[in-house]
Amino acid sequence: MAYQMDAHHAPVDPSVPLEYSTEDGQLKILGFWVFIAADIVLFSCLFATYVVLHNNTYGGPTAEQLFDVPGFVTETLLLLTSSFTCGLAIFEMHRSRLQPMIGWWIVTILLGMGFVGMEISEFAKYVGEGANITRSAFLSSFFILVGTHGTHVTIGIFWMISILIQLIRYGITAVTARKAFVVSIYWHFLDAIWIFIFTVVYLSGKVS
Amino acid sequence: MLPHYFNHLFVSGIDIYIADVLIILASISIVGVLTYFKKWKWLWREWLTTVDHKKIGIMYILAAFAMFFRGGMDGLMMRTQLAVPNNHFLGAQHYDEVFTTHGTIMILFMAMPMLIGLINVAMPLQIGARDVAFPYLNAISLWTFFFGALLFNLSFVIGGSPDAGWTSYAPLAGPTFSPGPGENYYLFGLNLAGLGTLASGINFLVTIIKMRAPGMTLMRMPMFVWSTLITSILIIFAFPVLTVALSLLSFDRLFGSHIFSMTHGGMPMMWVNLFWIWGHPEVYIVILPAFGILSEVIGTFSGKKLFGYSAMVGSLIAIAFLSFLVWVHHFFTMGAGATVNSFFGVSTMLIAIPTGVKIFNWIFTMYKGKVRFNTAMLWSLAFIPTFVIGGMTGVMLAVAPADYQYHNSYFLIAHFHYMLVGGTVFGVFSGLYYWWPKMFGMKLNETLGKWHFWLFMISFNLTFLPMYLLGLMGMTRRMYTYPPGLGWSHLNMLETVGAFGQGFAMMFMMVNIIWSIKNGERDLTGDAWDGRALEWATTSPAPEYNFAHIPMIYGRDAFWDRKYGKDKAKYTLKAKPYTPIHMPNNSGRPFLMAVAFFISFFGFVFEWWLVAGLGLLAVFFFMFSRSFETNTDHYISVEEIEHTESGGGRS
């Protein structure tokens, strides 16, 4: 008979970071990088669509009229800072310090929530002004591109919360370390995507 | 207040009623058989919850066969409609629906899953691995494909089928010209199945990169593994594009956005570009694994190592690279201009070079070999000339000025059927006859197999060769009827006879399968064909853990070398003691998660937001609960391995 075994096995290789110490961890981290490659393709297509359609305002509001500089700069600062604090959490994880790791983890989640909250109010403001997804091709592509990023961030927040619970429950093990590391890759990736949105959508929209 | 799609829920029409009755009868008989033989628990434990790559592969193949039947029926309905001039067997609208579902099902729900099934069965064995990298994800891939296909097929009896062609070009597929849920079924069915395909691509890539047996360098991998690797890369870079295209069109249809619309600044050409940036690599996703099968089969049945191994690898890579550079050749006639058309014409023709290299290599592999003409080998042999005919006509189509003549004519239809049937389907049949013993422990009957082969091969040419002529005579695709006196009637009748011949030939395969389950020659050695690669080094069917000892590899054709090679001694395993084998647990969650996806996407199709939202919530719940699962794997004990090994596998 097969016997059950706990997934939280002991690390097999102490010479590498904890998240890489099991074969399973290595496989999953590589798999996630490949997923990121696919997600890059997804965002590339959305960016291409936006770039093709961004001048097709059909008499509706243009990017220049719509975007509010202090708003999107604050959003950017929130998200960039959250990426930094996420890095600090992983840094503490590598030093096996659970409490500071959890602290930075919570800060990251809160900053992420702040970002999503600001984005929702930004979208609500546009819709309130009649600039909704049906108004023009520019606005359709804008909402879909920025909204897809926002959805990714929202999913990331729920994901981080579930990892937070596991960190509190199990501490830093090879499994929780791998999970935290994977979600941190995801979080930094969303930060990188935002830099492109900041440049291609918001900055270009303001200067054109 | 009823949602406005409620009126569309029930489709009427005599064929629909027949389908309704058949679906109900089939469902009742499945439920009845399972209950009568008390097989529900067995079905759930052994199949629906399995994470074993071999069983997942078999289920992929089974579902693909069902889709082959559905898509084949569509094909027969089209050919019946076109058999004689001025025919009104199907109405124009119905004909549109049938050719749309025929194309979509055959490519996305038949060819791809058939190949992914064969990859699942053979690839991990060929690299000497115990499983794929992510077995649980593999089950999710299977079930999202399965329920995506189910959702798409449901359109036939609930709500109405999509009718804008398998390419679903905007603005025809947009909300203005295709009202009703039909196109939504297309969008959400494909998107759900596409998720699973992307996950498979990631899974296979990581498996091949990280889980090869010790000593198996990249240049020692069997050619089928190489083709899987390259196909996986194509999937990873192509499928997100499809996801985006389908999602954007879904937004247009459900939420009134204007990405592809004709008004408010939308741009229908954006759809055509996105669709074919995925769609062209897609045709290589369904042909490269067939190339891999061919290399395995021809090598084995010629008793020789594959000729020009590194040239084969190089040409696979070249084809994959070029496949992303040619998408515009699907719309030469849409006004891109001479420079753009020239670039894409030349890049398209370039693909003929690496493909030609492969054709010559297969021929040289047979040269001076002891060729055994088994059914599997016959399919591979037939592949070569049909694929060359299809390829040469493809180069003709790549000539942009000439394409203005061929475009949208039956010439084009003939071309891609020569590639996809003469290429992919022949390859799949070859693979099925070849790996059947590995999957089920018995061979298929050779006599019935040869009947299947000859009937299908002749009928296939009878169906599609006249199409080239009809195309040159001016018959266009998607034409639902035609007047007499154009000189098309005899050729069309010939094609219809051929189409029914193919359907008839398939019955030989079905009879063969049923006959062989009872009387087929059992494969007790595990090495049914005197094979070359590692899948033949274990029992047939392979045990859950594939190999009791992970094999060591010292060269290409590892198993052949172990049997006959000069460094045979190196391969001889010292009688090492068995150690417990680490395996993943079965889980019902992938199946339930796909059901939740299905419910959600069904809600989206009919714009029932509550259903859609609750379904998505359930999907997230299943993801969340997986994250908290701790008992995800187990060890197979030494006693159990000893017991299995002495019993000679599962059989």
Side-chain angles (χ1 to χ4, degrees):
Chain A
M1 257 318 283
Y3 52 92
Q4 293 296 320
M5 149 157 191
D6 198 275
H8 298 220
H9 355 261
V12 290
D13 186 356
S15 69
V16 294
L18 194 60
E19 63 268 20
Y20 285 101
S21 62
T22 62
E23 197 201 344
D24 188 54
Q26 292 176 19
L27 286 175
K28 283 181 173 152
I29 292 169
L30 177 65
F32 196 75
W33 277 113
V34 180
F35 168 77
I36 291 287
D39 222 17
I40 288 174
V41 178
L42 181 130
F43 275 107
S44 310
C45 294
L46 292 175
F47 272 107
T49 309
Y50 178 79
V51 169
V52 166
L53 298 175
H54 79 286
N55 282 327
N56 298 7
T57 52
Y58 197 69
T62 63
E64 202 177 354
Q65 292 160 354
L66 222 48
F67 297 152
D68 159 48
V69 177
F72 69 75
V73 170
T74 315
E75 279 177 52
T76 309
L77 282 175
L78 282 176
L79 199 66
L80 261 60
T81 313
S82 81
S83 208
F84 179 65
T85 57
C86 180
L88 289 177
I90 299 297
F91 176 70
E92 295 295 351
M93 181 182 90
H94 285 154
R95 294 167 65 191
S96 304
R97 286 161 33 120
L98 182 64
Q99 289 308 326
M101 181 193 178
I102 289 176
W104 288 120
W105 203 255
I106 292 171
V107 173
T108 310
I109 292 171
L110 291 175
L111 289 168
M113 284 173 167
F115 169 84
V116 174
M118 281 198 72
E119 188 159 88
I120 290 172
S121 68
E122 182 199 345
F123 279 14
K125 182 171 148 256
Y126 295 164
V127 172
E129 291 165 1
N132 59 29
I133 196 168
T134 62
R135 181 64 192 85
S136 67
F138 153 65
L139 281 165
S140 302
S141 59
F142 166 81
F143 278 114
I144 292 172
L145 169 61
V146 181
T148 303
H149 177 269
T151 311
H152 272 69
V153 176
T154 311
I155 291 171
I157 289 169
F158 283 108
W159 188 356
M160 287 182 123
I161 291 171
S162 80
I163 305 299
L164 178 70
I165 300 168
Q166 290 172 52
L167 279 171
I168 293 168
R169 202 184 278 180
Y170 309 117
I172 300 173
T173 67
V175 173
T176 54
R178 183 257 301 162
K179 287 182 176 178
F181 186 72
V182 164
V183 77
S184 80
I185 298 173
Y186 181 75
W187 200 256
H188 296 313
F189 162 72
L190 291 180
D191 205 53
I193 295 290
W194 179 261
I195 293 168
F196 281 94
I197 292 183
F198 178 73
T199 316
V200 174
V201 177
Y202 288 101
L203 283 187
S204 311
K206 262 321 199 195
V207 297
S208 60
Chain B
M1 185 69 195
L2 289 171
H4 74 279
Y5 274 164
F6 201 76
N7 327 333
H8 293 277
L9 205 53
F10 302 104
V11 189
S12 53
I14 185 73
D15 53 336
I16 313 287
Y17 298 139
I18 295 172
D20 284 335
V21 171
L22 287 176
I23 289 169
I24 291 165
L25 284 179
S27 309
I28 290 172
S29 51
I30 290 171
V31 170
V33 166
L34 285 170
T35 312
Y36 183 77
F37 291 104
K38 296 195 174 64
K39 288 288 187 187
W40 283 105
K41 211 170 203 179
W42 165 83
L43 183 71
W44 178 257
R45 282 240 181 105
E46 296 289 314
W47 292 94
L48 301 186
T49 62
T50 189
V51 290
D52 182 343
H53 67 92
K54 299 170 290 291
K55 286 184 175 175
I56 286 177
I58 288 167
M59 285 189 281
Y60 259 115
I61 292 166
L62 265 175
F65 260 113
M67 290 296 99
F68 197 26
F69 180 76
R70 162 80 211 268
M73 279 300 172
D74 285 340
L76 291 183
M77 280 161 81
M78 283 153 74
R79 281 320 317 169
T80 309
Q81 165 64 22
L82 292 172
V84 289
N86 272 336
N87 195 5
H88 293 284
F89 166 69
L90 300 173
Q93 169 65 23
H94 205 139
Y95 187 79
D96 289 352
E97 291 173 6
V98 168
F99 73 64
T100 300
T101 51
H102 172 74
T104 312
I105 286 175
M106 284 303 202
I107 296 205
L108 283 136
F109 299 126
M110 190 284 283
M112 279 226 306
M114 201 74 103
L115 291 165
I116 289 179
L118 287 171
I119 289 171
N120 257 313
V121 166
M123 182 273 287
L125 289 166
Q126 288 195 326
I127 61 171
R130 291 218 161 106
D131 210 329
V132 292
F134 312 117
Y136 179 84
L137 184 68
N138 205 16
I140 295 179
S141 294
L142 167 73
W143 293 115
T144 50
F145 145 69
F146 182 87
F147 283 100
L150 194 65
L151 185 66
F152 185 85
N153 277 278
L154 210 57
S155 66
F156 190 67
V157 287
I158 299 178
S161 299
D163 58 359
W166 87 278
T167 52
S168 197
Y169 276 2
L172 178 59
T176 320
F177 299 105
S178 288
E183 283 300 315
N184 295 349
Y185 272 117
Y186 172 95
L187 296 170
F188 285 94
L190 260 59
N191 230 342
L192 185 50
L195 276 178
T197 311
L198 178 62
S200 286
I202 295 173
N203 210 341
F204 295 150
L205 179 76
V206 176
T207 306
I208 295 171
I209 288 179
K210 297 285 264 191
M211 296 179 70
R212 279 167 286 133
M216 182 174 279
T217 58
L218 285 177
M219 292 307 273
R220 283 176 180 173
M221 293 195 309
M223 195 49 62
F224 183 64
V225 177
W226 260 109
S227 71
T228 306
L229 179 67
I230 303 297
T231 306
S232 303
I233 293 170
L234 285 180
I235 288 175
I236 289 158
F237 287 107
F239 265 76
V241 187
L242 177 70
T243 305
V244 168
L246 295 170
S247 307
L248 290 175
L249 191 52
S250 306
F251 266 90
D252 274 13
R253 291 182 58 84
L254 301 183
F255 306 114
S257 65
H258 292 285
I259 305 290
F260 306 125
S261 62
M262 295 291 277
T263 58
H264 294 77
M267 199 174 277
M269 276 312 287
M270 202 61 208
W271 169 268
V272 184
N273 275 290
L274 285 173
F275 185 87
W276 285 114
I277 288 172
W278 160 77
H280 199 80
E282 166 68 10
V283 306
Y284 289 93
I285 292 169
V286 295
I287 199 63
L288 295 187
F291 284 177
I293 294 169
L294 213 62
S295 304
E296 298 296 314
V297 170
I298 289 184
T300 301
F301 293 116
S302 301
K304 275 179 68 193
K305 72 176 169 49
L306 193 67
F307 184 89
Y309 179 92
S310 30
M312 287 294 226
V313 173
S315 48
L316 272 176
I317 295 169
I319 292 170
F321 176 73
L322 289 170
S323 74
F324 277 101
L325 296 182
V326 303
W327 80 94
V328 174
H329 74 217
H330 293 271
F331 42 100
F332 276 153
T333 60
M334 291 193 196
T339 317
V340 172
N341 280 358
S342 306
F343 172 83
F344 287 96
V346 171
S347 56
T348 303
M349 290 180 216
L350 278 180
I351 295 186
I353 297 170
T355 315
V357 167
K358 296 188 82 70
I359 300 272
F360 281 113
N361 282 341
W362 289 320
I363 294 171
F364 285 132
T365 303
M366 287 180 276
Y367 179 67
K368 286 194 170 171
K370 289 197 186 82
V371 181
R372 286 176 283 162
F373 292 98
N374 291 56
T375 312
M377 183 65 168
L378 288 178
W379 285 111
S380 284
L381 286 176
F383 182 110
I384 295 173
T386 48
F387 204 76
V388 168
I389 294 171
M392 288 192 308
T393 49
V395 175
M396 287 168 75
L397 284 157
V399 182
D403 187 61
Y404 276 80
Q405 186 64 33
Y406 311 131
H407 191 80
N408 266 347
S409 79
Y410 261 59
F411 189 84
L412 171 77
I413 313 301
H415 156 69
F416 72 65
H417 280 91
Y418 264 84
M419 306 310 267
L420 288 170
V421 183
T424 304
V425 175
F426 282 18
V428 160
F429 284 149
S430 188
L432 281 173
Y433 281 93
Y434 182 62
W435 280 311
W436 200 266
K438 194 41 75 183
M439 286 190 275
F440 300 105
M442 81 274 183
K443 291 183 180 177
L444 287 172
N445 180 287
E446 280 293 315
T447 314
L448 287 167
K450 280 173 183 162
W451 271 98
H452 172 214
F453 168 75
W454 285 109
L455 266 173
F456 195 94
M457 219 267 288
I458 293 166
S459 310
F460 157 77
N461 283 294
L462 203 61
T463 314
F464 297 108
L465 208 55
M467 275 194 190
Y468 284 119
L469 301 174
L470 275 173
L472 294 176
M473 287 157 80
M475 183 162 165
T476 60
R477 76 199 294 195
R478 296 167 187 154
M479 180 182 268
Y480 106 95
T481 192
Y482 53 90
L486 295 171
W488 300 350
S489 311
H490 299 302
L491 288 175
N492 268 304
M493 182 49 94
L494 209 61
E495 286 177 20
T496 304
V497 171
F500 278 90
Q502 289 178 69
F504 184 61
M506 285 311 294
M507 291 183 11
F508 278 89
M509 184 164 197
M510 293 303 135
V511 171
N512 196 347
I513 290 172
I514 294 163
W515 187 89
S516 299
I517 287 171
K518 292 194 92 153
N519 314 309
E521 185 194 332
R522 305 287 135 171
D523 172 31
L524 301 175
T525 58
D527 181 18
W529 313 110
D530 198 9
R532 311 183 69 82
L534 280 174
E535 77 266 35
W536 306 109
T538 182
T539 52
S540 293
E544 186 195 350
Y545 48 77
N546 292 354
F547 301 97
H549 294 291
I550 293 289
M552 288 291 292
I553 314 297
Y554 301 98
R556 267 174 221 161
D557 291 336
F559 187 50
W560 184 265
D561 287 351
R562 189 196 291 184
K563 288 187 289 188
Y564 312 108
K566 59 178 185 297
D567 39 29
K568 200 162 31 176
K570 277 200 243 171
Y571 284 95
T572 314
L573 290 169
K574 293 198 189 96
K576 274 188 296 188
Y578 294 128
T579 48
I581 296 173
H582 186 213
M583 294 303 284
N585 286 347
N586 283 2
S587 172
R589 207 179 289 106
F591 179 83
L592 297 174
M593 192 166 139
V595 172
F597 256 125
F598 174 82
I599 293 169
S600 169
F601 280 19
F602 185 78
F604 275 116
V605 165
F606 285 93
E607 303 187 23
W608 298 341
W609 306 121
L610 189 68
V611 178
L614 287 177
L616 267 192
L617 216 60
V619 171
F620 282 113
F621 166 77
F622 286 126
M623 288 162 100
F624 195 74
S625 65
R626 167 65 177 182
S627 186
F628 283 84
E629 191 170 49
T630 47
N631 281 333
T632 54
D633 23 22
H634 63 272
Y635 274 89
I636 297 178
S637 64
V638 173
E639 303 89 73
E640 194 180 335
I641 300 168
E642 278 167 351
H643 177 77
T644 313
E645 289 298 304
S646 61
R650 281 185 295 183
S651 56

